[in-house]
Amino acid sequence: MAPPITRCPRPPPRLPQRSGQPSRGGAGQWVPREVAAAGRPLRRGRAAERGAGRRGGARRTMAAATAAAAPGRGRRGAPMYSKELTSKKRDEFEDILEERRLSSDLRYAMKCYTPVIYKGLSPCKPNAIKSAVLQSEQVQYVIKQLAKEMGESSDIIQEEAMEILDEMGHNMQLGAVRFFAFTLSKIFKQLFQRVCVNEEGMQRLQHAIQEHPVVLLPSHRSYVDFLMLSYLLYTYDLALPVIAAGIDFLGMKIVGELLRRAGAFFMRRSFGGNRLYWAVFAEYVKMMLRNGYAPVEFFLEGTRSRTAKTLPPKFGLLSIVMEPFFKREVFDTYLVPISISYERILEESLYAYELLGVPKPKESTSGLLKARRILSDNFGTIHIYVGQPVSLRTLASGRINRCPYNLVPRHLPQKPSEDIQEFVSDVAYKMELLQIENMVLSPWVLVAAVLLQNLPAMDFELLIEKTLWLKGLTQTFGGFIEWPDNLCAKKAVMSGLTLHSNIARLVDGHVVLNDKGVEDGAVGEIVFKHALAILMCATYRNQLLNVFVRPSLVAIALQMTRSFRKEEVYNCFSFLRDVFSDEFIFFPGISLKDFEEGCFLLTKCDAIQTNQQEIYPTNKGSVIISFLSTMFRPFVEGYQLIFRYLAKEAKEAFTEKQFIPGVRNFVFQLLEKGNTQCYEALSSDMQKNALAALVQLGAAKKKKMSNGFTYNVNQEAINKILDMFDARIPVQKPVAARL
Amino acid sequence: MAAAAEEAAGSGGGGSPSSARRRLRIISGHLRSSPRAPEREALSLSPCKAQGGSTGPASGSIPRKRQELLKWNGWGYNDSKFIFNKKGQAEFTGKRYRLGGMVLPTFKEWMEKTFGASLDHKTTSRATLNVNDVPPSIVKEEFLQDLRATKISYSQDAEDRVFRAHGHCLHEIFILREGMFKRVPDIVVWPVCHEDVVKIVELACKHNLCIIPFGGGTSVSSALECPEEEKRTIVSLDTSQMNRILWIDEKNLTACVEAGIVGQDLENQLAESGFCTGHEPDSMEFSSLGGWVATRASGMKKTIYGNIEDMVIHIKMVTPRGIVEKNCQVPRMSTGPDIHHFIMGSEGTLGVVTEVTIKIRPVPEYQKYGSVVFPNFERGVACLREVAKQRCAPASIRLVDNAQFQFGHALKPQVASIFTSFLDGLKKFYITKFKGFDPNILCVATLLFEGDREKVLQHEKQVYDIATKFGGLAAGEDNGQRGYMLTFVIAYLRDLGLDYYVIGESFETSVPWDRVLDLCRNVKERIARECKEKGVQFAPLSTCRVTQTYDAGACVYFYFAFNYRGISDPIHVYEQIERAAREEILANGGSLSHHHGVGKLRKRWMKESISDVGLGMLRSVKEYVDPNNIFGNKNLL
């Protein structure tokens, strides 16, 4: 029923009436939203027109966003991963910088900006939102409660709430937006070759924004993410989002304020215990969402992933934005997964230093100015894939017990029930998996993965051959590779090497890591430099891991068990999945499905054959199996090193601050002595994940103390896990059964 | 056209038309000249009738042969219906209602615009009931012999049986028009007094039969449908001939009335002594006192007179265990859980209500309609909430949304003079242009004040003052009156819609104040979505009104209708959508029903609504009172 949206060769004049308010009262033919929206094409100026002219009508049309999220999908037990991965249709990309390079940035920044808006929107100013939040029943209730408990006058607490709001609130102003539109155009053109966007995704988003409140959920790899989406939405004449940012940005003079005016609002890093803060913050976010004031944007991962692997989701903000739907204050809410992939990450070396324990520089304006030298560098292409908006209502249908929300006044703070928590967590993982699905993988990612398996040096021709081979495998596994049709492998690899000349280089027909200064200096320094190079390179390989993790864990399980019995392999798989549950993204509770998915993909690439009870590697499969397990070896070995450290050296109780340097020294010494080659075990990210895994497996206990968390490990349990890794004892069922 | 067959046994958000009394007069006039008088004489000669010291003439509006007066396949009187006349204009026939004989010039356009319906696409109901299709009556001879001995009148005629096999749900009317019920009663009995009912129940127990009590037949919860799997003889116990006022107690302001009396007769006869009950569900012309009790009915003037549970002083019910009643007629007593509350809402699963003592009031001296226009629905709800908060709600206050406001407009009769049309134009100009109300957003509250003249005027001012605070503008008596008229003719409209591929129904709920707006918006949106998903070609009409205000919440009434051309199984689609709408209501914190009851239509949500234990409590009562499931209509539990 949804009319197809076709691209007009030339944007027709704006509809006379605002498309925000079609067919009141439900009367009339199906004019509603879709048609009204379709009547208005996505606008992006001249380049869009040219693009349309170039491709003609070849572009396929797209059903409206409502057709999103097939019912039942995403519910526990429903298929999480598409079986037809390679045949998956993905939208095509358009470069939005192309137009910027051809026309005036100033005119662009001053263009007429009148975005489509939510149909139920009643426009209001940022300050009006703040005072509405302050006066809301929700906040007033908590204020009164606190006043009673603390014996203070509620005026004082109200004052406090006002301060919180002032610290937090955004102050979106068109002037600042235009300023950013101008400067970002300049900066992006300097930094990046292209910024590519799937325009169909933008169209779906345009419909979604008018229909229901929208939550934008981008991946987070770089600070660039912050303003990239706003820039994009401005370019396409869509409502600008309000963005949840860490409070650290406020430390930056001027920039913090500028961000605020561009729509950022600031949240403290942790405020679980502060009821007033929680109430004010939650109500602030919900108020903006309910009124359809603007799309709300935040990062599920909570922080930039330093490793380019997707981080496990944080649930706090997600559960806040879902609440208005649970309480039926809105009819539905759209969650839009957005994948932003960088060919070269701006902060790559900073991240590597940070992972090795050199602290992250504090956000400061002077730091930002110092960083301007990177402007002379080339950071390749950014791909932004705006996913299909997912209807929260569809996800929730049949899963939510409505009773708890009906029996308590809606303004009272209510701890979410267990099934709500579980649901929120499922949705969070689902969204991250959708992000991963549409992450664009550059040829360089494949090069990095091959190279890391062939250190210290690799023949260039062989590298090209292996890269091509890996390209095929990645596509079989559903990876989204952006490899232009006519680009020959050699050129692709070469251009990757050129772009990443700081990581690897070509020397005498061999490709080597670019660890300058390794030759001279002390042993320790050599190790550090080498680790730096490897971690930087690994950042790119890591982008493949979530695509490869399921078949790879099956491959590793096959090698570890040295058995063909499906059950044993599954038990081992399940064990590994548990151990790596913080390292990679798995949808909770569907271990068996993940296993089947892994087996299916391995069968698809002819690496294994299976029947009811058994799994056999095929003759030609051994190459794939060994490649896959080598790909993940740094994790298997790294975890073992970390576990070994904990089993032997860990004190009675320790904090994370004690643990990280301890285990780093331990690994460092092993590396110096040449007892291991696992440089990645130096990564603080892996170390934290390994510790978290032990907590989840019950081999360590995490306790909240006044000065943060302390850990207690159970040596015996860790030794048992280590034995399982070494296949000295078979993986026992109880571990698997715990799922 | 949302057929709003209001609940069988009564109920309804509201009301009687313009001058209810005038209508009653016409009806009673009609009855006085009725040729059926001799039969009635005969009935009242029966010994049973003679015993009851009845006041006034025992004349019921509804004859034993219902089809003589009422449509057999639609709502209401045979002579009253919407038609399109030769000029293609809509017209309402008959002389019973104020709208009778009037031409409605804008209605056709509204119908075409709202539903995409066209006069060229017509469906026709079968002209008469095909008696051969009716399942045969299976009654054992022993029972018939016993029944004859009691001298209670009965019938095994096919028409009589079919016309007691249904209420006024959409699917039931659809079956009448195009199909046949799988199961209908095997025999209809007409007791004329309490003792007759006792005898029938005894016989049913003796012969193990199933009894389904039948009052006015206006159920919209599938409560009257016979369970298909019922193997026993089904006896339809029609209470329509138990329709006398037994006595009036002016000192205590109560009246004892037989339960079969229909609303209009009750008010009519009480009016002769200067009294009324004030209970006016939309179905009051046809629904019966016993039905009201059995479904926990609500009338539009409940603000003054209360709902049925507030009015009832004493109930006599015949059950398989015996007769249940209290030993005195007092305003309140503390004797454990009130047994009346087992009876009210029992939906015919426990026994037959035979006599009810009900509160009466002197007929009010003065009545005044009114209406207020609000810039939007939100403001309107806020105003109603404030009125409820100040506890100054008039006898009736209702807020209709924009779609229903436009619907009401479509039912405006041709204006008599240029002057009136000029005035209308002026009014419209004032509201839309001068005051800036958007005619596609504004909504209207209709008001009915009752009492002595001075107080009414005072009360009126108070309410209008509140309305002003919420941006309301007084919009005249006439609009108010038409609003109330609309609610009873709307039931007739469904029959017209059915002729043009439009099906519809009403449903209702009650909801806390703070959720009213969210619930209304979400339910309408859900309906629109479901329609689209199910392949309905045109956007449906889904509209609501707030019909009752309480301290803690409100009653919301929805109409929902759509054009089903192009859909092969419209009833199934309709039922799926209605079910989704009910799910949505429950998810928004609304109740399963405010006054229509549960019947068989909404049984599946009972457990969720009253908890496992709650359901068990009701079951245990049923098991004690009726262990052999004589009252086996399968409602509620």
Short mmCIF file of all heavy atoms in Angstrom, two decimals, chain B residues 513-543:
data_model
loop_
_atom_site.label_atom_id
_atom_site.label_comp_id
_atom_site.label_asym_id
_atom_site.label_seq_id
_atom_site.Cartn_x
_atom_site.Cartn_y
_atom_site.Cartn_z
N TRP B 513 -7.92 9.28 34.25
CA TRP B 513 -7.85 10.57 33.56
C TRP B 513 -6.54 10.80 32.83
O TRP B 513 -6.51 11.28 31.71
CB TRP B 513 -8.08 11.73 34.55
CG TRP B 513 -9.52 12.00 34.82
CD1 TRP B 513 -10.19 11.85 36.00
CD2 TRP B 513 -10.49 12.48 33.88
NE1 TRP B 513 -11.51 12.18 35.86
CE2 TRP B 513 -11.72 12.58 34.56
CE3 TRP B 513 -10.45 12.81 32.54
CZ2 TRP B 513 -12.89 13.01 33.95
CZ3 TRP B 513 -11.61 13.23 31.92
CH2 TRP B 513 -12.81 13.33 32.62
N ASP B 514 -5.44 10.47 33.49
CA ASP B 514 -4.15 10.85 32.90
C ASP B 514 -3.83 10.05 31.65
O ASP B 514 -2.90 10.37 30.94
CB ASP B 514 -3.02 10.70 33.93
CG ASP B 514 -2.73 9.26 34.26
OD1 ASP B 514 -3.71 8.49 34.41
OD2 ASP B 514 -1.56 8.89 34.36
N ARG B 515 -4.60 9.00 31.40
CA ARG B 515 -4.30 8.20 30.21
C ARG B 515 -5.32 8.38 29.08
O ARG B 515 -5.23 7.71 28.06
CB ARG B 515 -4.24 6.71 30.59
CG ARG B 515 -3.11 6.41 31.55
CD ARG B 515 -3.16 4.96 31.99
NE ARG B 515 -2.37 4.78 33.19
CZ ARG B 515 -1.26 4.04 33.23
NH1 ARG B 515 -0.83 3.44 32.16
NH2 ARG B 515 -0.58 3.91 34.35
N VAL B 516 -6.31 9.24 29.32
CA VAL B 516 -7.38 9.37 28.34
C VAL B 516 -6.84 9.73 26.96
O VAL B 516 -7.13 9.07 25.96
CB VAL B 516 -8.42 10.42 28.79
CG1 VAL B 516 -9.40 10.73 27.67
CG2 VAL B 516 -9.17 9.92 30.02
N LEU B 517 -6.03 10.77 26.91
CA LEU B 517 -5.56 11.25 25.61
C LEU B 517 -4.70 10.21 24.90
O LEU B 517 -4.87 9.94 23.72
CB LEU B 517 -4.74 12.53 25.79
CG LEU B 517 -5.55 13.79 26.06
CD1 LEU B 517 -4.62 14.96 26.31
CD2 LEU B 517 -6.47 14.08 24.88
N ASP B 518 -3.77 9.62 25.66
CA ASP B 518 -2.89 8.62 25.05
C ASP B 518 -3.71 7.45 24.53
O ASP B 518 -3.46 6.95 23.43
CB ASP B 518 -1.86 8.13 26.08
CG ASP B 518 -0.80 9.19 26.37
OD1 ASP B 518 -0.57 10.03 25.48
OD2 ASP B 518 -0.23 9.19 27.47
N LEU B 519 -4.68 7.02 25.34
CA LEU B 519 -5.49 5.88 24.92
C LEU B 519 -6.26 6.20 23.64
O LEU B 519 -6.26 5.42 22.69
CB LEU B 519 -6.43 5.47 26.04
CG LEU B 519 -7.32 4.27 25.74
CD1 LEU B 519 -7.29 3.28 26.90
CD2 LEU B 519 -8.75 4.65 25.45
N CYS B 520 -6.91 7.34 23.61
CA CYS B 520 -7.69 7.69 22.42
C CYS B 520 -6.80 7.73 21.19
O CYS B 520 -7.12 7.16 20.15
CB CYS B 520 -8.37 9.05 22.60
SG CYS B 520 -9.66 9.03 23.85
N ARG B 521 -5.68 8.41 21.31
CA ARG B 521 -4.80 8.54 20.16
C ARG B 521 -4.26 7.18 19.71
O ARG B 521 -4.30 6.83 18.53
CB ARG B 521 -3.62 9.45 20.54
CG ARG B 521 -2.66 9.71 19.39
CD ARG B 521 -1.33 10.27 19.90
NE ARG B 521 -0.69 9.34 20.80
CZ ARG B 521 -0.20 9.67 21.99
NH1 ARG B 521 -0.26 10.90 22.41
NH2 ARG B 521 0.36 8.76 22.77
N ASN B 522 -3.79 6.40 20.67
CA ASN B 522 -3.16 5.13 20.30
C ASN B 522 -4.16 4.14 19.72
O ASN B 522 -3.85 3.40 18.79
CB ASN B 522 -2.47 4.51 21.51
CG ASN B 522 -1.24 5.30 21.91
OD1 ASN B 522 -0.73 6.10 21.14
ND2 ASN B 522 -0.77 5.09 23.13
N VAL B 523 -5.37 4.10 20.29
CA VAL B 523 -6.35 3.14 19.77
C VAL B 523 -6.75 3.51 18.35
O VAL B 523 -6.84 2.65 17.47
CB VAL B 523 -7.60 3.08 20.69
CG1 VAL B 523 -8.71 2.28 20.04
CG2 VAL B 523 -7.22 2.48 22.03
N LYS B 524 -6.94 4.80 18.11
CA LYS B 524 -7.30 5.21 16.75
C LYS B 524 -6.17 4.88 15.77
O LYS B 524 -6.41 4.39 14.68
CB LYS B 524 -7.59 6.72 16.72
CG LYS B 524 -8.94 7.06 17.31
CD LYS B 524 -9.29 8.50 16.97
CE LYS B 524 -9.57 9.30 18.21
NZ LYS B 524 -9.76 10.72 17.92
N GLU B 525 -4.97 5.15 16.21
CA GLU B 525 -3.83 4.87 15.33
C GLU B 525 -3.70 3.37 15.07
O GLU B 525 -3.43 2.92 13.96
CB GLU B 525 -2.55 5.41 15.97
CG GLU B 525 -1.30 5.00 15.23
CD GLU B 525 -0.53 6.17 14.64
OE1 GLU B 525 -0.65 7.28 15.17
OE2 GLU B 525 0.18 5.95 13.65
N ARG B 526 -3.94 2.59 16.13
CA ARG B 526 -3.84 1.14 15.98
C ARG B 526 -4.87 0.65 14.97
O ARG B 526 -4.58 -0.18 14.10
CB ARG B 526 -4.06 0.47 17.34
CG ARG B 526 -4.04 -1.04 17.33
CD ARG B 526 -2.62 -1.57 17.19
NE ARG B 526 -2.56 -3.02 17.17
CZ ARG B 526 -2.29 -3.76 18.24
NH1 ARG B 526 -2.02 -3.19 19.39
NH2 ARG B 526 -2.25 -5.07 18.15
N ILE B 527 -6.09 1.18 15.07
CA ILE B 527 -7.15 0.77 14.14
C ILE B 527 -6.74 1.11 12.71
O ILE B 527 -6.84 0.27 11.81
CB ILE B 527 -8.48 1.45 14.52
CG1 ILE B 527 -9.03 0.84 15.80
CG2 ILE B 527 -9.49 1.31 13.39
CD1 ILE B 527 -10.25 1.55 16.35
N ALA B 528 -6.24 2.32 12.53
CA ALA B 528 -5.85 2.73 11.18
C ALA B 528 -4.77 1.81 10.64
O ALA B 528 -4.82 1.36 9.50
CB ALA B 528 -5.35 4.18 11.21
N ARG B 529 -3.81 1.50 11.49
CA ARG B 529 -2.72 0.63 11.07
C ARG B 529 -3.18 -0.77 10.72
O ARG B 529 -2.79 -1.37 9.73
CB ARG B 529 -1.73 0.49 12.21
CG ARG B 529 -0.67 1.47 12.15
CD ARG B 529 0.53 0.84 12.80
NE ARG B 529 1.58 1.82 12.89
CZ ARG B 529 2.81 1.53 13.24
NH1 ARG B 529 3.11 0.28 13.56
NH2 ARG B 529 3.72 2.44 13.30
N GLU B 530 -4.02 -1.31 11.63
CA GLU B 530 -4.48 -2.68 11.42
C GLU B 530 -5.27 -2.76 10.12
O GLU B 530 -5.16 -3.72 9.36
CB GLU B 530 -5.34 -3.15 12.59
CG GLU B 530 -4.59 -3.28 13.90
CD GLU B 530 -3.73 -4.54 13.96
OE1 GLU B 530 -4.07 -5.52 13.26
OE2 GLU B 530 -2.72 -4.53 14.69
N CYS B 531 -6.11 -1.75 9.89
CA CYS B 531 -6.90 -1.74 8.66
C CYS B 531 -5.98 -1.81 7.45
O CYS B 531 -6.20 -2.56 6.51
CB CYS B 531 -7.75 -0.48 8.58
SG CYS B 531 -9.23 -0.56 9.57
N LYS B 532 -4.95 -1.00 7.52
CA LYS B 532 -4.03 -0.94 6.40
C LYS B 532 -3.35 -2.28 6.20
O LYS B 532 -3.25 -2.79 5.08
CB LYS B 532 -3.00 0.13 6.72
CG LYS B 532 -2.40 0.76 5.51
CD LYS B 532 -1.64 1.98 5.97
CE LYS B 532 -0.52 2.27 5.01
NZ LYS B 532 0.35 3.30 5.52
N GLU B 533 -2.91 -2.85 7.31
CA GLU B 533 -2.23 -4.14 7.21
C GLU B 533 -3.14 -5.24 6.69
O GLU B 533 -2.70 -6.15 6.01
CB GLU B 533 -1.69 -4.55 8.59
CG GLU B 533 -0.30 -4.03 8.84
CD GLU B 533 0.10 -4.20 10.30
OE1 GLU B 533 -0.37 -5.16 10.95
OE2 GLU B 533 0.87 -3.35 10.80
N LYS B 534 -4.43 -5.13 7.02
CA LYS B 534 -5.35 -6.19 6.62
C LYS B 534 -5.89 -5.94 5.22
O LYS B 534 -6.82 -6.61 4.78
CB LYS B 534 -6.51 -6.29 7.61
CG LYS B 534 -6.09 -6.50 9.05
CD LYS B 534 -5.88 -7.96 9.34
CE LYS B 534 -5.47 -8.26 10.78
NZ LYS B 534 -4.44 -7.45 11.38
N GLY B 535 -5.42 -4.92 4.58
CA GLY B 535 -5.81 -4.69 3.20
C GLY B 535 -7.09 -3.90 3.01
O GLY B 535 -7.68 -3.94 1.94
N VAL B 536 -7.52 -3.19 4.04
CA VAL B 536 -8.69 -2.33 3.87
C VAL B 536 -8.29 -1.18 2.95
O VAL B 536 -7.25 -0.55 3.14
CB VAL B 536 -9.16 -1.78 5.24
CG1 VAL B 536 -10.30 -0.81 5.06
CG2 VAL B 536 -9.57 -2.93 6.14
N GLN B 537 -9.13 -0.93 1.94
CA GLN B 537 -8.71 -0.03 0.87
C GLN B 537 -8.78 1.45 1.26
O GLN B 537 -8.02 2.25 0.77
CB GLN B 537 -9.59 -0.25 -0.37
CG GLN B 537 -9.61 -1.68 -0.85
CD GLN B 537 -8.31 -2.04 -1.55
OE1 GLN B 537 -7.76 -1.24 -2.28
NE2 GLN B 537 -7.81 -3.24 -1.29
N PHE B 538 -9.71 1.78 2.10
CA PHE B 538 -9.86 3.18 2.50
C PHE B 538 -9.57 3.33 3.97
O PHE B 538 -9.81 2.41 4.75
CB PHE B 538 -11.28 3.67 2.21
CG PHE B 538 -11.53 3.87 0.74
CD1 PHE B 538 -12.00 2.83 -0.03
CD2 PHE B 538 -11.26 5.10 0.14
CE1 PHE B 538 -12.21 3.00 -1.38
CE2 PHE B 538 -11.47 5.27 -1.20
CZ PHE B 538 -11.95 4.22 -1.97
N ALA B 539 -9.07 4.49 4.33
CA ALA B 539 -8.83 4.75 5.74
C ALA B 539 -10.15 4.58 6.49
O ALA B 539 -11.19 5.01 6.01
CB ALA B 539 -8.30 6.16 5.93
N PRO B 540 -10.12 3.91 7.62
CA PRO B 540 -11.38 3.67 8.35
C PRO B 540 -11.84 4.93 9.07
O PRO B 540 -11.06 5.87 9.24
CB PRO B 540 -10.97 2.62 9.37
CG PRO B 540 -9.54 2.92 9.65
CD PRO B 540 -8.96 3.41 8.34
N LEU B 541 -13.09 4.92 9.47
CA LEU B 541 -13.55 5.93 10.40
C LEU B 541 -13.25 5.38 11.78
O LEU B 541 -13.78 4.34 12.15
CB LEU B 541 -15.06 6.16 10.23
CG LEU B 541 -15.71 7.04 11.31
CD1 LEU B 541 -15.31 8.49 11.13
CD2 LEU B 541 -17.22 6.92 11.27
N SER B 542 -12.38 6.02 12.51
CA SER B 542 -12.24 5.61 13.90
C SER B 542 -12.28 6.87 14.72
O SER B 542 -11.46 7.75 14.57
CB SER B 542 -10.98 4.78 14.12
OG SER B 542 -9.83 5.56 14.12
N THR B 543 -13.29 6.92 15.53
CA THR B 543 -13.57 8.16 16.25
C THR B 543 -14.00 7.83 17.67
O THR B 543 -14.46 6.73 17.94
CB THR B 543 -14.65 8.95 15.49
OG1 THR B 543 -15.27 9.86 16.39
CG2 THR B 543 -15.72 8.03 14.93
#
